[in-house]
Amino acid sequence: MAASPAFVLFLIASHMTVSSTMLVLNKAVLARLPVATTVLLFQVGSSALILWVLGKAKLLQVDAFEFQTAKAFFWNAAAFMALIYSNAKALQHANVETVVAVRTLSIFVTAYGDFRLLSVKALDAKSFGALCMVSGGAVGYFLSGGGMKEGTNMGWVLAYCATNAAYPIVTKLVMMSRAMTTWGRTYYNNLLTFIIFIPAALILREDQKVTSLQEDGAVNTVALSLLALSCLWGTAISFLGFLCLDNVSATTFNLMGNVNKILTLVVNGLLGDSRSPLMGNVNKILTLVVNGLLGDSRSPLMGNVNKILT
């Protein structure tokens, strides 16, 4: 049975809200515990453990562990790891405004993947025109001198753009390969992500950093409380992400991320937190508005959602 437009709209709003607040939570956690890989391990590991326990207690319908299913979700976890790593490297070599502006271009690749790999109807003239306007806003942002710092390594920025485009496609393909509950998908994704990130934590020797933080008294009640809250929030964002992808296209999911990120830049600009010139902010707002109006007109369901919004 297809979900109602109102329910899909609720899912989109919920995912975007949780995603935005998760960013704030992660900043607060990492300010006190600057061991990013270890924090991520706690988040995904605790999520997998909680869901496993609740599944065993029959409080949630969580799919039992099967090796063949785990093999399928390995690729989703690998894509997530590539996304996280390329994002970190892009932010290391370019400012956040540049990364977010170029990120908007990834939606073209996702839309093509929707068409070629997921049998979604090709973009119509309205959607293609809107995507071109999105690109125009991003390009206009660059031409206006929107804060690209000297020495920017566009290689990592483009790598992040590519992994961001591929991630929702890979996730949709994995979801289509197995009939599972949303809680089951959340469990498998967090479990496989935990397994994949363990070697990264060992290579980075974050255990030594954690020991140092303990000796300095940084691992206190406030830090652990924020970490615990971020673990719960991580479970929510993972669950809502799969639920959204079950009801919208990969292109729409990418677009949701674009709106979130650009809205953050606009708010920063309005608060005087951005060094972007006036025309740079105008182009960001243009990109945000077009992203919001685009929806995904190929989908009848999203067409109904747009009617609700307007």
Side-chain angles (χ1 to χ4, degrees):
M1 181 179 175
S4 68
F7 178 68
V8 175
L9 182 59
F10 170 76
L11 281 181
I12 292 173
S14 299
H15 184 270
M16 291 177 65
T17 301
V18 173
S19 179
S20 298
T21 51
M22 185 66 174
L23 175 63
V24 176
L25 257 180
N26 276 338
K27 282 186 175 181
V29 172
L30 292 173
R32 291 166 174 79
L33 302 172
V35 280
T37 305
T38 301
V39 167
L40 180 64
L41 279 172
F42 268 96
Q43 290 171 344
V44 297
S46 63
S47 177
L49 179 60
I50 290 169
L51 291 178
W52 181 79
V53 171
L54 292 177
K56 286 295 183 182
K58 306 296 182 185
L59 296 175
L60 291 177
Q61 193 174 353
V62 180
D63 298 77
F65 183 85
E66 293 180 359
F67 183 69
Q68 290 302 317
T69 304
K71 281 173 62 178
F73 268 86
F74 168 82
W75 297 109
N76 189 71
F80 179 68
M81 183 175 185
L83 179 67
I84 293 293
Y85 184 74
S86 61
N87 184 29
K89 296 299 286 186
L91 289 171
Q92 179 183 342
H93 294 284
N95 62 1
V96 66
E97 289 86 355
T98 300
V99 173
V100 172
V102 177
R103 183 193 193 278
T104 62
L105 302 177
S106 68
I107 200 167
F108 279 104
V109 182
T110 305
Y112 182 72
D114 254 342
F115 170 65
R116 294 294 297 178
L117 300 175
L118 300 173
S119 302
V120 175
K121 189 170 69 174
L123 290 172
D124 58 20
K126 174 189 171 183
S127 295
F128 185 76
L131 289 182
C132 288
M133 290 182 68
V134 170
S135 300
V139 171
Y141 179 71
F142 281 116
L143 294 178
S144 64
M148 183 187 290
K149 64 183 181 182
E150 185 179 350
T152 294
N153 185 337
M154 289 303 295
W156 280 115
V157 177
L158 293 175
Y160 170 59
C161 180
T163 54
N164 182 70
Y167 179 69
I169 298 292
V170 172
T171 304
K172 291 280 279 189
L173 288 171
V174 171
M175 289 170 63
M176 291 167 61
S177 71
R178 293 284 188 281
M180 300 174 65
T181 65
T182 304
W183 286 117
R185 289 167 178 158
T186 306
Y187 164 64
Y188 270 91
N189 183 62
N190 283 286
L191 176 62
L192 270 295
T193 301
F194 177 78
I195 293 171
I196 284 179
F197 269 87
I198 287 176
L202 295 175
I203 291 171
L204 293 172
R205 302 305 303 270
E206 286 199 350
D207 56 316
Q208 296 180 354
K209 297 178 184 177
V210 171
T211 302
S212 177
L213 288 170
Q214 286 179 317
E215 292 172 352
D216 294 339
V219 185
N220 51 38
T221 304
V222 174
L224 292 177
S225 297
L226 288 170
L227 178 60
L229 185 58
S230 76
C231 291
L232 292 175
W233 231 239
T235 304
I237 196 172
S238 182
F239 173 77
L240 288 169
F242 279 110
L243 203 53
C244 279
L245 277 168
D246 220 8
N247 290 279
V248 303
S249 69
T251 306
T252 299
F253 192 79
N254 189 327
L255 181 143
M256 289 162 53
N258 286 346
V259 173
N260 249 353
K261 299 298 188 295
I262 299 170
L263 184 58
T264 300
L265 290 184
V266 171
V267 172
N268 282 343
L270 292 175
L271 294 176
D273 225 10
S274 171
R275 295 185 298 274
S276 302
L278 175 62
M279 283 308 297
N281 287 322
V282 168
N283 280 298
K284 282 187 293 189
I285 294 172
L286 170 65
T287 307
L288 171 64
V289 170
V290 174
N291 265 301
L293 293 177
L294 171 62
D296 190 349
S297 60
R298 297 169 295 175
S299 165
L301 182 61
M302 286 309 296
N304 290 329
V305 169
N306 282 336
K307 290 177 183 177
I308 292 176
L309 290 171
T310 56

